[in-house]
Amino acid sequence: MAVTLTESAVERIVEFLTNRGSGIGIRLRVQTTGCSGLGYNMEFVDGTFDDDTVFEDNGVKIIVDTKSLIYLDGTQVDYVKKGLNEGFEFNNPNAKAECGCGESFTV
């Protein structure tokens, strides 16, 4: 089981955490949302909970709760710039389909 980050995602997360002035890493979770049913949620965190799984990639901690881990196992988080748009993308091998806007997925 693993969740990983690309080099560009690591650089952006470190930049965000540095500007924030605190934090141990990012929390990834899945929530019910969007037209396909499930959506990604990412936030910067200062601590963990007992049911969390913690991965570390290039010095960045990735924290995932037990319920979300079944949907996120094997996911690689990337940070991309496309024209005027930029943001995090999730390369999730568990996703069977995504909505047209890319904000939600189904398994």
Side-chain angles (χ1 to χ4, degrees), residues 10-87:
V10 168
E11 290 172 5
R12 191 66 171 149
I13 291 167
V14 168
E15 181 181 337
F16 277 129
L17 288 171
T18 300
N19 290 339
R20 187 173 182 256
S22 65
I24 63 164
I26 59 168
R27 174 176 297 281
L28 294 180
R29 63 186 171 117
V30 172
Q31 60 190 37
T32 303
T33 188
C35 52
S36 291
L38 298 171
Y40 301 103
N41 183 282
M42 185 171 90
E43 61 189 1
F44 300 97
V45 295
D46 297 317
T48 62
F49 299 109
D50 290 339
D51 70 334
D52 287 336
T53 299
V54 180
F55 302 99
E56 190 165 333
D57 194 356
N58 291 305
V60 174
K61 287 187 167 95
I62 308 158
I63 300 153
V64 182
D65 65 84
T66 302
K67 291 179 184 176
S68 296
L69 187 56
I70 61 171
Y71 301 108
L72 295 174
D73 184 31
T75 297
Q76 181 184 57
V77 181
D78 193 10
Y79 186 79
V80 296
K81 292 182 180 183
K82 295 178 183 174
L84 297 175
N85 297 318
E86 60 185 274

